[in-house]
Amino acid sequence: NAGVTQTPKFQVLKTGQSMTLQCAQDMNHEYMSWYRQDPGMGLRLIHYSVGAGITDQGEVPNGYNVSRSTTEDFPLRLLSAAPSQTSVYFCASSYPAARGEQFFGPGTRLTVL
Amino acid sequence: ELKVEQNPLFLSMQEGKNYTIYCNYSTTSDRLYWYRQDPGKSLESLFVLLSNGAVKQEGRLMASLDTKARLSTLHITAAVHDLSATYFCAVDWVWTSGSRLTFGEGTQLTVNP
């Protein structure tokens, strides 16, 4: 099992550009989530999904969109990047849905200029 | 709103010494996680605490959970340099459409020879 994978590992964007951070898992986990990590603030939940076709907002959803068309994939879209979105982004998954231990991907380091 | 507070946020200790990291949270929960993060890396699961009075031990680390006091502790015994990392607690609480993890700010531990 590859576990939770994320691409790209690093990305630099200009303000206003859009991009999609990819997240995939091969563990058949129902629950997937996206976090951002900023210095001194721990991890904050952006969006999460309890299964294919179902998504919901976390603590800091503004500026981000998600969709969940398959169990395996949970992409995070930045529609118009802003410098405030400079952060490290982690994707996580767990099983059974909603209350299992979460396993984290390697992260994507994003810089918005 | 759930708040999770860790203290201390920074901890510098000598090898061989003992210390405890505290994790307080503001809302009822019966499930708490401890994670370790090395610089530039992802989060590694250390402990899953599932009920009041739960105690888990792995090597020089021991975690406990008191749900009545809304407190978890991570105790370090006879610290060694390899334990240098940032440690996060995360509280799992039930939301309307699933459960969510709320993280503490993290405790940056440095173990000096």
Side-chain angles (χ1 to χ4, degrees):
Chain A
N1 283 355
V4 181
T5 59
Q6 291 182 238
T7 56
K9 292 185 178 179
F10 302 94
Q11 183 70 49
V12 179
L13 292 177
K14 294 181 179 178
T15 297
Q17 286 185 314
S18 62
M19 79 159 297
T20 298
L21 307 185
Q22 301 292 344
C23 174
Q25 52 89 12
D26 61 357
M27 298 174 282
N28 201 31
H29 284 173
E30 298 171 2
Y31 186 92
M32 296 186 74
S33 54
W34 277 101
Y35 296 86
R36 61 177 288 173
Q37 184 176 29
D38 301 298
M41 300 188 72
L43 278 77
R44 293 181 292 168
L45 182 64
I46 304 171
H47 286 284
Y48 66 99
S49 169
V50 298
I54 305 170
T55 63
D56 204 350
Q57 297 181 349
E59 299 175 65
V60 288
N62 292 341
Y64 307 95
N65 278 356
V66 293
S67 60
R68 184 95 179 269
S69 56
T70 67
T71 300
E72 294 79 18
D73 300 298
F74 190 43
L76 178 72
R77 282 183 288 275
L78 283 70
L79 301 178
S80 178
S84 61
Q85 294 178 305
T86 295
S87 188
V88 181
Y89 291 85
F90 289 100
C91 178
S93 73
S94 68
Y95 181 87
R99 303 212 77 197
E101 176 186 359
Q102 294 198 29
F103 296 90
F104 285 81
T108 294
R109 187 174 296 272
L110 176 68
T111 301
V112 183
L113 303 176
Chain B
E1 179 187 349
L2 174 64
K3 293 186 178 179
V4 181
E5 296 181 342
Q6 286 182 237
N7 71 83
L9 299 183
F10 299 93
L11 177 56
S12 180
M13 55 191 299
Q14 285 187 309
E15 283 191 329
K17 298 294 186 181
N18 304 331
Y19 209 84
T20 299
I21 299 170
Y22 297 89
C23 174
N24 293 272
Y25 54 97
S26 62
T27 295
T28 301
S29 174
D30 62 355
R31 188 169 296 221
L32 187 142
Y33 303 87
W34 283 96
Y35 289 90
R36 168 182 171 144
Q37 185 179 38
D38 293 300
K41 302 294 185 181
S42 186
L43 279 77
E44 172 192 355
S45 178
L46 293 175
F47 299 108
V48 180
L49 302 171
L50 300 179
S51 61
N52 186 43
V55 177
K56 296 277 185 76
Q57 183 163 6
E58 181 72 34
R60 301 175 187 274
L61 300 177
M62 183 174 70
S64 66
L65 178 61
D66 182 342
T67 58
K68 294 179 181 178
R70 298 178 185 172
L71 171 68
S72 179
T73 61
L74 180 67
H75 187 72
I76 303 155
T77 302
V80 293
H81 179 70
D82 286 351
L83 289 179
S84 296
T86 299
Y87 294 85
F88 292 95
C89 64
V91 176
D92 183 10
W93 59 296
V94 178
W95 190 237
T96 52
S97 56
S99 75
R100 296 163 58 155
L101 281 188
T102 298
F103 282 80
E105 297 160 291
T107 297
Q108 186 174 319
L109 172 65
T110 303
V111 181
N112 303 304

